[in-house]
Amino acid sequence: MAPQTTYSTHALPCPQTSGSPPADFASIAQRYATLRLEALLTSPKAFASSHAIESTFTLEEWAACIWKDDRVVLVCVAHPASQDAEGAEGSPLTGDWVGSAILRGPLSARDYALPPEGGAPPVGMDDVETKWQMTAVFASAAHRGRGIGKMLIQAGKDYALKQTANPRAGLRVMIHPDNLVVLSLYSATGFVDAGRTTGKEAYRTNGDISSWALKLKSLTEEEKVYWSTARVAVVLEWLGQTRTQLD
Ligand SMILES: CC(C)(COP(=O)(O)OP(=O)(O)OC[C@H]1O[C@@H](n2cnc3c(N)ncnc32)[C@H](O)[C@@H]1OP(=O)(O)O)[C@@H](O)C(=O)NCCC(=O)NCCS
């Protein structure tokens, strides 16, 4: 990799920000597919889905993964330092896509709530707090340790704060207890302990319920019980105040 690379993060077009997909949406979907398949191939344990499943997706299915009412896909673009973040052809998405994350929401208090036995704090009312779940953060292996993970999280916070008229916006993440890098990443970016949850609840609140159905098929009876009842996934949460509140 060229020694001088700069990075920028961007929210891909989605129903929350655009009336209709842009003219180049097929190309955006293709580029997202390439990055997502790289993530599934190189970090198979980190995601609910798998390369085997998603490598069968058609371009229309990839487009539908991005153009969904309940989420925004964030990407990180690498630019040679000689270019600014607008890219060589004047588009901020021009450059190598080297990181991504999904922000799911806004979620209602009802959908966001977790069983109290996991130690989750009370959920803010829908007219006070806008709630999101962040998932699938990924940085390409060759670009790790350069702040992409932190930039994607900051992009998620910025997006959540921009999209709400409420005084507060909250982001939550659920992490496998063995993924120490991700635990450290979110802790370093202001997320605090918000309890423990089960694998099943993590799949549900991440919006991966179809992956959960597939996951179940691969488990033994004992493992099914473990994934459904053992509260081992670490829940971390960040709450931010909107500009209106700060003024
Ligand atoms: C997690 C991941 C996105 C981090 O991306 P990254 O761009 O390398 O992260 P950053 O450079 O922004 O690092 C930010 C923080 O993460 C933590 N971190 C990153 N790499 C780390 C490592 N190898 N060991 C320990 N902590 C690490 C540190 O707290 C770091 O802060 P610091 O630089 O101030 O020490 C990347 O490692 C990845 O894609 N992993 C595989 C996918 C995955 O597990 N996703 C999680 C799905 S829930």
Short mmCIF file of all heavy atoms in Angstrom, two decimals, residues 106-113 123 126 131:
data_model
loop_
_atom_site.label_atom_id
_atom_site.label_comp_id
_atom_site.label_asym_id
_atom_site.label_seq_id
_atom_site.Cartn_x
_atom_site.Cartn_y
_atom_site.Cartn_z
N PRO A 106 -33.88 3.87 13.00
CA PRO A 106 -34.06 3.96 14.43
C PRO A 106 -34.95 2.82 14.93
O PRO A 106 -35.92 2.45 14.27
CB PRO A 106 -34.77 5.31 14.63
CG PRO A 106 -34.72 6.02 13.34
CD PRO A 106 -34.51 5.00 12.28
N LEU A 107 -34.60 2.30 16.11
CA LEU A 107 -35.36 1.19 16.70
C LEU A 107 -36.28 1.74 17.79
O LEU A 107 -35.87 2.61 18.56
CB LEU A 107 -34.41 0.17 17.32
CG LEU A 107 -33.48 -0.55 16.33
CD1 LEU A 107 -32.42 -1.34 17.09
CD2 LEU A 107 -34.28 -1.48 15.44
N SER A 108 -37.48 1.25 17.83
CA SER A 108 -38.40 1.68 18.89
C SER A 108 -37.92 1.10 20.22
O SER A 108 -37.19 0.10 20.25
CB SER A 108 -39.81 1.17 18.59
OG SER A 108 -39.82 -0.24 18.70
N ALA A 109 -38.36 1.74 21.31
CA ALA A 109 -37.99 1.24 22.64
C ALA A 109 -38.38 -0.23 22.77
O ALA A 109 -37.67 -1.04 23.37
CB ALA A 109 -38.66 2.09 23.72
N ARG A 110 -39.52 -0.57 22.17
CA ARG A 110 -40.01 -1.96 22.27
C ARG A 110 -39.04 -2.93 21.58
O ARG A 110 -38.70 -3.99 22.12
CB ARG A 110 -41.39 -2.02 21.62
CG ARG A 110 -42.11 -3.30 21.84
CD ARG A 110 -43.60 -3.14 21.55
NE ARG A 110 -44.19 -4.46 21.36
CZ ARG A 110 -44.49 -4.95 20.18
NH1 ARG A 110 -44.29 -4.25 19.08
NH2 ARG A 110 -45.00 -6.16 20.09
N ASP A 111 -38.58 -2.56 20.37
CA ASP A 111 -37.67 -3.44 19.64
C ASP A 111 -36.27 -3.45 20.26
O ASP A 111 -35.50 -4.40 20.10
CB ASP A 111 -37.56 -3.01 18.18
CG ASP A 111 -38.81 -3.39 17.41
OD1 ASP A 111 -39.57 -4.24 17.91
OD2 ASP A 111 -39.04 -2.82 16.32
N TYR A 112 -35.91 -2.35 20.89
CA TYR A 112 -34.55 -2.19 21.43
C TYR A 112 -34.38 -2.90 22.77
O TYR A 112 -33.28 -3.34 23.11
CB TYR A 112 -34.31 -0.69 21.60
CG TYR A 112 -32.90 -0.25 21.83
CD1 TYR A 112 -32.00 -0.12 20.77
CD2 TYR A 112 -32.46 0.11 23.10
CE1 TYR A 112 -30.71 0.33 20.97
CE2 TYR A 112 -31.17 0.57 23.31
CZ TYR A 112 -30.30 0.68 22.24
OH TYR A 112 -29.02 1.14 22.45
N ALA A 113 -35.49 -2.99 23.52
CA ALA A 113 -35.41 -3.50 24.90
C ALA A 113 -34.87 -4.93 24.95
O ALA A 113 -35.16 -5.75 24.08
CB ALA A 113 -36.79 -3.45 25.53
N VAL A 123 -34.51 1.59 28.94
CA VAL A 123 -34.46 2.15 27.57
C VAL A 123 -35.15 3.50 27.57
O VAL A 123 -36.24 3.66 28.13
CB VAL A 123 -35.17 1.18 26.59
CG1 VAL A 123 -35.18 1.76 25.19
CG2 VAL A 123 -34.49 -0.17 26.61
N ASP A 126 -39.20 6.85 23.25
CA ASP A 126 -38.98 7.13 21.82
C ASP A 126 -38.98 8.62 21.48
O ASP A 126 -38.40 9.03 20.48
CB ASP A 126 -40.02 6.40 20.98
CG ASP A 126 -39.77 4.90 20.96
OD1 ASP A 126 -38.60 4.49 21.17
OD2 ASP A 126 -40.73 4.13 20.76
N LYS A 131 -32.77 5.41 18.94
CA LYS A 131 -31.91 4.26 19.26
C LYS A 131 -31.48 3.49 18.01
O LYS A 131 -32.30 3.23 17.13
CB LYS A 131 -32.66 3.32 20.23
CG LYS A 131 -32.94 3.98 21.56
CD LYS A 131 -33.96 3.24 22.39
CE LYS A 131 -35.37 3.53 21.97
NZ LYS A 131 -35.83 4.89 22.28
#
